[in-house]
Amino acid sequence: MSYSERLTVPVWWWLAVVGLAASLAVAVFAYLDWPLATAITLSLLVGLLVLLVGYGRTRLEVAGRTVAAGRARIGIEHVGEVTALDEPATSRALGAEADHRAFLLTRPYIPTTVRIHVRDAADPHPYWLISSRRPQAFAAAIEQARVR
């Protein structure tokens, strides 16, 4: 595998979820009996934590002749121009310059992306826009896979 990245959620999201659960626990414990309030609070906390873990499990990989972004895969033979985008360029790519047909795998807590143009006429997506904390390294790994 020439590149691998996991799009984990930032620490402050974990703290925010714990804070949210704590504030809801105060309200629940104020109105319900101890056993029921405990069950509701723990269920809520576990549910929110499972959501965060699931959301942060997304992987980016360049392995062999395949680029993977989450569950999506594209053969390197279908990859066109690859561009690492900084924060302002990402903002434009997701806003004014956006194409509604593009495949997006973006995370609001990662301000940079990689744009991968698709050269497959059968693919409905003209390009992929993928969040990455290391967009230059991700783009370089894709380019390196194209050369092999």
Side-chain angles (χ1 to χ4, degrees):
M1 187 174 318
S2 62
Y3 184 84
S4 181
E5 177 181 357
R6 189 168 161 198
L7 303 181
T8 57
V9 296
V11 172
W12 68 268
W13 276 38
W14 292 95
L15 297 174
V17 162
V18 170
L20 174 67
S23 66
L24 291 173
V26 169
V28 169
F29 276 95
Y31 292 102
L32 299 175
D33 294 331
W34 180 264
L36 182 58
T38 301
I40 290 172
T41 301
L42 288 177
S43 297
L44 175 69
L45 182 59
V46 167
L48 289 171
L49 294 178
V50 166
L51 283 173
L52 282 183
V53 168
Y55 194 63
R57 287 185 57 150
T58 304
R59 281 198 159 299
L60 307 179
E61 294 179 349
V62 179
R65 309 243 342 125
T66 303
V67 178
R71 287 186 252 171
R73 307 265 184 276
I74 187 169
I76 205 71
E77 66 275 8
H78 299 298
V79 171
E81 180 185 356
V82 178
T83 310
L85 303 179
D86 60 9
E87 191 170 349
T90 294
S91 182
R92 287 190 306 276
L94 289 169
E97 298 172 3
D99 184 335
H100 71 279
R101 299 170 301 151
F103 171 77
L104 302 177
L105 195 152
T106 57
R107 296 294 183 253
Y109 48 84
I110 300 176
T112 53
T113 58
V114 172
R115 179 182 292 149
I116 304 168
H117 287 274
V118 178
R119 294 189 310 184
D120 182 4
D123 195 322
H125 307 294
Y127 63 88
W128 288 14
L129 192 62
I130 311 296
S131 287
S132 175
R133 287 188 174 93
R134 299 176 294 152
Q136 288 80 14
F138 185 33
I142 296 169
E143 290 296 339
Q144 183 181 11
R146 288 174 64 179
V147 172
R148 287 190 235 155

